[in-house]
Amino acid sequence: MTAMVKQIATEPLLSVRDLHVDFGLDEGLVRAVDGVSFDVMPGRVLGIVGESGCGKSVTMRAILQLVDEPGRITRGEIVYRRDAGDGLGSAGVDLTKLPRHGAAMRAIRGAEIALIPQEPMAAFSPVHTVGAQIVEAIRLHHRQWRPEGGGLSVNDARDIVVDLFRDVGISMPEQRVDAYSWQLSGGLRQRAMIAMALSCKPRLLVADEPTTAIDVTTQAQVLALLRELQRKHGTAIIFITHDLGVIAQMANDVVVMYLGRVVEQGPVDGIFHAAKHPYTRALLRSIPSISGATRVALPTISGTLPHPFNRPGGCPYHPRCDEKIGTVCASHVPHLTQLGNGQAASCFLHQDASETA
Amino acid sequence: MTATAAPTTAANTTATPTMATSAKPLLSVRGLQKFFPITDGGFFRKTIGQVRAVDDVSFDVVEGETLGLVGESGCGKTTTSRCILRAMEPTAGRIEFRRKDDTIVDLATLTREQLRPLRAEIQMIFQDPFGSLNPRMTLFDNVGEPLLVNGMKNRAERMDRVAELLKLVGLRAEFMHRFPHAFSGGQRQRIGIARALSTNPRLVVADEPVSALDVSVQAQVLNLLLELQQRLGLTFLFVAHDLSVVRHLSDRVAVMYVGQIVELAVTHTLFTRPLHPYTAALMRAVPVPDPRVAIGEVTLKGEVPSPANPPKGCYFHPRCAFAQDRCRQEAPALREPVPGHFVRCHFAEQLDLATQAAG
């Protein structure tokens, strides 16, 4: 789990360690996130990929301290290294220890760690103009723009929004600032959302399926925009998606999740060309390609995703795995094991079963 | 558009056996139009304009083949499929369907009463596996209702048929007494497929049947659709926005843009030698699941124009890298420059798009 740290000699911006998020429901306990660890390096894009229910969105919400009741972070830490801003280097702060509605968390959420949500239509209020909503965010986090203090007037903030709109490629920004979200097309709305996320100069951007709700040609534009902004500002991005094509084109490093656990992680090339975990390999095989044979049966993953109340013992993937080993996989839980080149997998094919407790 | 410009026969192509065995179209759509009025919002709802959601669409679906209908949101692909099912009333055009006894009926002009016997022959698979099943009905009632409506009054007989259908789509017959909430998205989509097949339809319209599903489940449902088609000789009209999915399933593909078909060809030809700049740009925009493939430059600038106010001339010209004066003035017709390959572009023969599409 320190793979990416070794590879680049700088400190990670965000370190998630052994994170557990449980949902205590009437029917039982759901372990939505079950011991997840990864690092986000400054200026790099970390892609988190997995199917519905794998815990990728809950992980993202835990980072932002937005896990709703009855969900609770029960174990682990999320260390975010704040920019002290005084040249004294960075100080780590464990976000899980901060009160979620407290001043410290509110100063980080939205300002230093910003979110691009999946549904820009639902994320913007329909009764306020998009400009007014972004102005509100900028004035709230005015220290990001005026570190010396003193606050920002509405007009100053509005000028910032116009500049941001121009940056994200919205034409006629002066007029668009006064538009309501429902007056904008899907692509423009997502650009406005990106402008809002960038409005407080975040150091870490969390993008949760930012292009899933939009068309493929618009998606190409939005992805190009994110890449350009990332290069320009050096913002680190956590990019959450189920689309392996988008991951391949956007991410530097990839985390593959299954049933609340990290099954494999590493640099993007290794994940796509030398996947070590049977789940990663099966997932890659099951997508219809734009150049392969047509009208032939696709390789599938046998069985279905287990119900969250009915998690299999041992390796969570073993009931569906083609390569499971005898009784080992059903009775022991594999750990994420370093396999060289920064790649790590959680699988007994790559780990001696005797190592497990 | 004239009938001569429409894809009438598959005789010129030998791409798939399903097309070679039967040249007779099961469905012929000619000049289909669907306009929605724009009203002024006043008391009398005066019409002040029209959204040309489907504007002069013509195509054939040959018996036993899968025709993919692909395009971005608002291109009219769903409206087209709804008109064929007469879930919407078309504004103009003919929708000719060849019945079992070889008689041809125009679905566009039939009354609701006259349509009823045809409903069993044309069925639909819906996008949302959560919204399309009645949560208060068991699988037996959900899947068996079309049978009841079509005159199978005997409950035991219906039970046998539902059990058979559930097995056909890879579910257990005992499931028929459960309610939809007990099933996952992929299983529900199987239930929806079982219901669509209950009346032994000949034409199945599938509107985005896998877009709500996860990749691994999507692969299972795509395999099921292929297998059922081979076993039952079904004809599919497959509506989707995902190019790789459409490519995987379809014998031929029609690409729609702002209410019109801009290109229609055999799948392999369309994807390797596209003739329309929009098709080429669309394919280039699909992110390839391989980090070693260089990211294609974004060539499509701007946004899809509104079908309420389409540009003059070719609808694609404001975004087209090859647009010339003629494109700005004159709307191109759907032509057939290569047999079996239809394109709505003035300069289709002169553009070199294949290399672009590959890169």
Side-chain angles (χ1 to χ4, degrees):
Chain A
M1 79 194 177
T2 47
M4 295 164 206
V5 185
K6 278 181 201 154
Q7 196 188 347
I8 303 158
T10 51
E11 267 187 310
L13 185 62
L14 186 88
S15 296
V16 176
R17 286 290 171 273
D18 197 31
L19 181 71
H20 285 72
V21 183
D22 290 351
F23 285 76
L25 305 177
D26 294 342
E27 300 92 323
L29 188 73
V30 174
R31 298 206 165 126
V33 179
D34 189 23
V36 162
S37 303
F38 58 82
D39 290 324
V40 185
M41 303 309 291
R44 283 176 74 87
V45 181
L46 176 76
I48 302 185
V49 68
E51 299 182 276
S52 349
C54 73
K56 57 189 193 298
S57 288
V58 177
T59 304
M60 171 279 284
R61 298 188 79 84
I63 292 168
L64 289 156
Q65 284 266 43
L66 288 174
V67 177
D68 289 324
E69 288 289 325
R72 240 162 30 89
I73 299 174
T74 50
R75 212 190 319 160
E77 51 182 34
I78 301 169
V79 177
Y80 169 64
R81 285 184 183 76
R82 291 194 81 165
D83 185 2
D86 51 9
L88 293 175
S90 48
V93 48
D94 183 357
L95 301 181
T96 62
K97 299 286 186 298
L98 298 179
R100 43 188 300 203
H101 301 298
M105 191 62 225
R106 289 174 59 192
I108 293 174
R109 188 198 296 130
E112 293 181 44
I113 306 180
L115 171 73
I116 303 176
Q118 176 171 0
E119 286 280 352
M121 194 63 191
F124 275 119
S125 160
V127 295
H128 299 96
T129 63
V130 288
Q133 294 174 63
I134 303 174
V135 163
E136 188 187 354
I138 293 174
R139 294 191 69 207
L140 195 65
H141 295 294
H142 59 84
R143 282 189 186 280
Q144 298 290 107
W145 289 93
R146 297 275 163 83
E148 68 279 8
L152 272 164
S153 73
V154 172
N155 278 331
D156 289 347
R158 196 191 139 93
D159 291 342
I160 294 174
V161 178
V162 171
D163 287 342
L164 283 167
F165 273 23
R166 200 170 285 124
D167 269 1
V168 297
I170 296 178
S171 57
M172 301 187 293
E174 289 88 353
Q175 283 94 309
R176 291 291 174 36
V177 165
D178 296 319
Y180 292 90
S181 62
W182 41 267
Q183 290 171 321
L184 303 176
S185 68
L188 280 180
R189 219 180 284 135
Q190 196 55 286
R191 282 171 196 268
M193 203 71 242
I194 292 170
M196 182 152 175
L198 295 174
S199 68
C200 300
K201 304 192 195 169
R203 297 169 67 220
L204 174 62
L205 201 58
V206 181
D208 184 17
E209 306 258 7
T211 58
T212 303
I214 55 185
D215 276 316
V216 59
T217 59
T218 317
Q219 166 175 290
Q221 294 172 0
V222 170
L223 294 180
L225 171 69
L226 280 173
R227 274 194 299 267
E228 185 201 315
L229 292 171
Q230 202 258 338
R231 262 198 300 271
K232 204 161 113 187
H233 303 294
T235 318
I237 301 181
I238 300 180
F239 203 102
I240 297 169
T241 179
H242 68 280
D243 187 328
L244 290 160
V246 172
I247 284 280
Q249 304 298 315
M250 290 299 293
N252 302 118
D253 305 296
V254 180
V255 167
V256 184
M257 288 183 70
Y258 184 78
L259 280 186
R261 299 180 66 95
V262 175
V263 294
E264 183 159 6
Q265 67 178 42
V268 67
D269 196 72
I271 296 288
F272 280 84
H273 288 283
K276 299 284 191 283
H277 198 284
Y279 176 67
T280 315
R281 291 201 284 255
L283 205 58
L284 286 166
R285 275 196 305 263
S286 65
I287 31 176
S289 90
I290 199 92
S291 54
T294 64
R295 292 182 64 78
V296 291
L298 290 163
T300 59
I301 302 175
S302 60
T304 53
L305 205 65
H307 197 273
F309 297 129
N310 195 14
R311 286 171 70 96
C315 169
Y317 184 59
H318 88 265
R320 307 179 70 186
C321 186
D322 313 327
E323 301 171 54
K324 58 174 166 282
I325 315 163
T327 54
V328 178
C329 298
S331 51
H332 294 81
V333 182
H335 297 298
L336 211 52
T337 310
Q338 293 302 327
L339 301 168
N341 295 327
Q343 207 162 335
S346 169
C347 179
F348 287 117
L349 291 174
H350 308 287
Q351 177 193 346
D352 194 347
S354 60
E355 287 171 31
T356 58
Chain B
M1 197 186 61
T2 60
T4 50
T8 47
T9 169
N12 290 319
T13 55
T14 51
T16 58
T18 43
M19 290 168 59
T21 50
S22 167
K24 269 199 235 168
L26 181 65
L27 181 79
S28 295
V29 177
R30 290 289 172 274
L32 183 70
Q33 291 183 325
K34 174 65 189 175
F35 297 168
F36 295 98
I38 305 168
T39 56
D40 61 358
F43 184 74
F44 295 105
R45 307 215 147 247
K46 209 172 84 187
T47 302
I48 50 170
Q50 271 171 332
V51 177
R52 302 165 78 94
V54 175
D55 192 2
D56 192 13
V57 162
S58 301
F59 61 85
D60 283 357
V61 187
V62 180
E63 191 146 16
E65 79 164 341
T66 300
L67 179 75
L69 211 52
V70 69
E72 298 184 273
S73 354
C75 72
K77 57 190 191 297
T78 293
T79 308
T80 302
S81 70
R82 295 268 149 115
C83 285
I84 291 165
L85 292 154
R86 278 288 295 275
M88 280 177 182
E89 295 302 316
T91 307
R94 282 176 296 137
I95 305 165
E96 288 170 356
F97 180 72
R98 192 161 47 80
R99 300 203 60 179
K100 262 189 193 118
D101 56 7
D102 254 4
T103 55
I104 289 174
V105 288
D106 184 359
L107 300 177
T109 56
L110 296 183
T111 63
R112 297 187 77 83
E113 275 310 307
Q114 290 170 316
L115 270 169
R116 194 153 292 158
L118 279 150
R119 293 281 181 211
E121 292 189 44
I122 308 172
Q123 283 286 340
M124 170 135 195
I125 300 170
F126 295 92
Q127 172 172 6
D128 178 6
F130 293 86
S132 59
L133 297 173
N134 188 332
R136 291 165 188 276
M137 282 159 75
T138 61
L139 297 202
F140 169 70
D141 292 323
N142 262 307
V143 176
E145 195 172 33
L147 296 170
L148 183 65
V149 171
N150 282 286
M152 197 187 275
K153 303 281 189 230
N154 184 324
R155 192 178 161 86
E157 203 184 330
R158 279 211 310 279
M159 283 212 158
D160 287 347
R161 176 71 178 137
V162 170
E164 185 190 331
L165 285 162
L166 289 179
K167 271 184 256 167
L168 187 69
V169 298
L171 295 171
R172 295 218 297 271
E174 308 92 87
F175 289 172
M176 74 166 83
H177 302 296
R178 296 190 193 172
F179 289 90
H181 70 81
F183 297 92
S184 68
Q187 288 171 320
R188 286 183 204 212
Q189 201 56 299
R190 287 172 191 269
I191 299 164
I193 293 169
R195 180 178 57 188
L197 299 180
S198 62
T199 58
N200 284 321
R202 294 164 66 227
L203 176 66
V204 177
V205 178
D207 189 358
E208 304 269 12
V210 296
S211 39
L213 307 176
D214 273 317
V215 248
S216 69
V217 185
Q218 168 180 293
Q220 293 173 355
V221 173
L222 289 177
N223 287 351
L224 176 68
L225 289 173
L226 273 173
E227 188 200 318
L228 290 173
Q229 181 171 42
Q230 269 146 24
R231 265 168 73 177
L232 308 173
L234 295 170
T235 308
F236 279 126
L237 179 63
F238 185 77
V239 181
H241 71 280
D242 187 326
L243 283 168
S244 40
V245 167
V246 167
R247 178 182 175 280
H248 186 78
L249 211 63
S250 308
D251 295 297
R252 293 188 303 145
V253 177
V255 182
M256 289 190 71
Y257 187 73
V258 199
Q260 296 183 326
I261 289 181
V262 294
E263 187 160 5
L264 192 161
V266 171
T267 306
H268 181 75
T269 312
L270 188 90
F271 279 83
T272 49
R273 290 188 301 279
L275 291 180
H276 199 286
Y278 176 66
T279 312
L282 198 61
M283 286 190 283
R284 210 162 38 243
V286 178
V288 183
D290 182 352
R292 290 181 191 171
V293 173
I295 299 152
E297 215 178 295
V298 180
T299 45
L300 266 194
K301 304 279 191 292
E303 309 237 346
V304 179
S306 161
N309 186 22
K312 209 172 161 241
C314 171
Y315 288 176
F316 186 60
H317 87 256
R319 305 177 76 192
C320 183
F322 310 96
Q324 299 180 25
D325 277 341
R326 188 177 168 201
C327 306
R328 287 180 261 276
Q329 300 302 323
E330 189 189 331
L334 194 66
R335 302 180 295 124
E336 191 180 0
V338 183
H341 196 152
F342 299 86
V343 62
R344 197 183 280 273
C345 174
H346 292 306
F347 301 102
E349 294 91 330
Q350 294 147 38
L351 306 176
D352 181 23
L353 298 168
T355 47
Q356 275 212 340

